[in-house]
Amino acid sequence: MKKRFLLALLATVGMLQTAGAAERLTSPKGDIVVVIDVQNGKPTYEVSLGGVQFLKPSPLGLLTNLGDFTEGLTLAGCDSKTQHDEYWLKTTKQSHISYDATEAVCRFEKDGKRVLDIQFHITDRDVAYRYKLYPKKIRGGETLVAVVNGEASGFVMPDGTTTFLCPQSGPMNGFARTSPSYETSYTLDDQMGKNGWGNGFTFPCLFKTPAGWLLLSEAGTDGGYVGCRLLNAGGSNYKIGFPQEGEMNGFGTTSAAVSLPCETPWRTITLGTTLAPIVETTVTNDVVRPKYQASKEYVYGKGSWSWIIGMDPSCNFDEQKRYIDFSAAMGWRSVLVDALWDVQIGYEKMAELARYGRERGVGLFLWYNSNGSWNDAPQSPKGKMDKSAARRKEMAWMKDNGILGIKVDFFGGDKQPMMQLYEDILTDANEFGLQVIFHGCTLPRGWERMYPNYVASEAVLASENLHFGQGACDAEAFNACIHPFIRNTVGSMDFGGSTLNKHYNKDNQHGTTRKTSDVFALATAVLFQSSVQHFAMAPNNLEDAPAWAVDFMKQVPTNWDETRFIDGYPGKYCIMARRAGTKWYVVGITSDGTPLQKKIDTKAFFPKGTKPTVYTDADAIVIFN
C-alpha cells in the first residue's frame, strides 16, 4: 500500500511538472520561435527570429469581471498544426495572398478549471495572438456574458531598441473637441521609456531592435470590443491600453462587454532583419474573415476633390459640375463632394448633380458627419449616420440616386459603442451598395477583408494640413517618408494628396506653398495605398501642370497585385515597387531634397530589352513600363 501510494504521488508530481513546462511554437520554416511559459503563475511569451530574441518574456492574460486571468494560472498544454490559407482582395497592397501558418491553442487553467485559451498564428514573418474566454460555472447554470476590463498583453523590448511612434492625443481636444483621431506627428528613432503626450501611442507602432525591426498592431476589432492603444509601462515594457475615460464626451465605459465564449481581437507582431517584412506584411487581413458577403461587385479607382484646394465654399453646384467635368477629362471614376453640400447644394440639386455625373461616367462620394453627441463638429449633413432609421433612410436615397459611396468624419474615440457604430455604418452601407471611407477616425484593423464595402480610413496627419499651415508643407517630404513604413503597412490610408498645384488655393497663386516636386507628387500616388484615391489635383492642372505629369495621373492604378520593398529608412527615404497586372511602378522619395545615390536592380521588374519611362529629380524618382 505504501509503495503504491508513493508511486501515485510521484506520478502526480510528474503530471504537474509536465503541465507547467514551457511550450515552444515555431513558424512553418522554423525561423520564428515563440516560447509560452508561466512564471510565478503569470503567463508569458517570448519571440525570436533566427535564434535572436526580438521580444523578451512578455505578459499575457485578461482582466475580467469573472476573475483575474493574468495570474494564478497554469499552462495545461498547447496543440498546434500547420494551416494553409489563400484569399483574394482588391482593396489592399496585394491582390492574391497565399501563406502557411502554425496555428496553436494554448490552454490555461485556474484552480483546476479551464478559464482561458490563447490562440497563436505564426508565419515566417508574423506572430499574432488572441484570447478565448469561456463561460464560468455558477449555481443554476453558466455565466454567458462578461466584461473585459483590460489586458495584461505586453511587449518587452530588447535593450538598445529605439522607437518610431505616433502619440495618442487626449480626448475632447483639437478642432471642435474631435480628438483622438490618430492625426499626430511621429517621433522617430527615440529612446524607450516615454509615453507619448501622456496617453500612449496609436497603432501601428514600429521599433528598431539591435537585430532588426518589429511592428505592433491589432486586427479583428469590431463592435464586440474596444479599439486599443499602446502604453509604456516603464523602460522597455509596453502594454495594451484600453480607451481613455474622456472619449465620447465621457459617455460609456472603457471596458468591453462580451458574450461567452468570446474571442478577442488579435495582437499582431511583424518582425524582420530588414524593413521588407514590415512593409509587405498582410497579417491584419490574414487573421480575420469576412463578416458578410458583398451586396454587389464593388469597383474602385481615382477621383477628384474640390475641398482640399477650395475649402467649404467650393461645395456648391457649379464648382462640383466643374470637378465632374475634370474627372471625366482625366478618365477618373468619381468626385468626392465634401462637407455642407446639404446646405450649399441641397438634396434636389444633388440628385441633379448625380445625374449629370452619370451621363459623363463619373459617380459621387458624399461627406457626412458621424456625430450624435461626442464632439462639437458643426459641419453638416449631421445626425444622419449615428442612428439606424435616419442612416438607412439616407442610404436608400443615395441608392436611388446612384451615389457610389460615403465619407464619414469626426468619430469620437475607440470605446465599444463607437466601434459598433463603424460596424453598423459599414453593414447598412453594404445593403445599399455603398462604399465607405472614414475620416477623423480610428485605425482600420483588417477591415478590408472583414467588410467588403470598406475602402479606407484617414487615421494619419493627412493632406488637409498642407492647406492649413506652411509648416505641414515644409515637412511634407519628411512625413511622406514615414507612412509607407508605419501607418500604411497595416491598412488602406486615405491621404488625399498628390496635388500638382503650386499653392493650396483655387487661383494657384496664394495660400500655402508646396515645397515638393511634381515627380514627388507622382511617386506618392504609388507609395500611398488606397483602392479609392481622391487626389488633390484641380481643373486648372489641365492647363498649368506639365502634360507628362497629368498623363501619369490619368493612368496610375489604385488597385495593386503585388508590393515589394526595395530600400529605405523611416523619415529619410523610401524606395518601393508595386505591380498592377503586368505593369510595374518603381518609385522613390527622399525627405530633404538632397539627391540620393542608390543603385536599383530593375531586372526583376522590367524585362531585358524594354525601356521603361523614367521621371526623376532631387526629390523623387518614378519608373514604369
Side-chain angles (χ1 to χ4, degrees), residues 368-371 374 381-388 390-391 394-395 398 406 408 421 424-425:
Y368 283 86
N369 192 331
S370 77
N371 201 11
W374 36 87
K382 188 175 179 179
K384 303 288 188 179
M385 289 293 138
D386 59 308
K387 296 291 190 298
S388 177
R391 180 170 60 242
E394 193 79 1
M395 289 178 173
M398 284 187 266
I406 54 177
V408 189
L421 178 62
D424 289 345
I425 290 171

Side-chain angles (χ1 to χ4, degrees), residues 471-487:
C473 289
D474 297 342
E476 180 185 6
F478 170 76
N479 288 322
C481 287
I482 298 173
H483 304 320
F485 300 108
I486 308 180
R487 164 62 182 90

Side-chain angles (χ1 to χ4, degrees), residues 64-87:
T64 81
N65 67 340
L66 299 183
D68 182 347
F69 304 130
T70 68
E71 58 184 14
L73 303 184
T74 57
L75 176 58
C78 297
D79 300 318
S80 64
K81 60 184 177 181
T82 301
Q83 294 273 68
H84 177 78
D85 190 21
E86 190 170 1
Y87 61 97

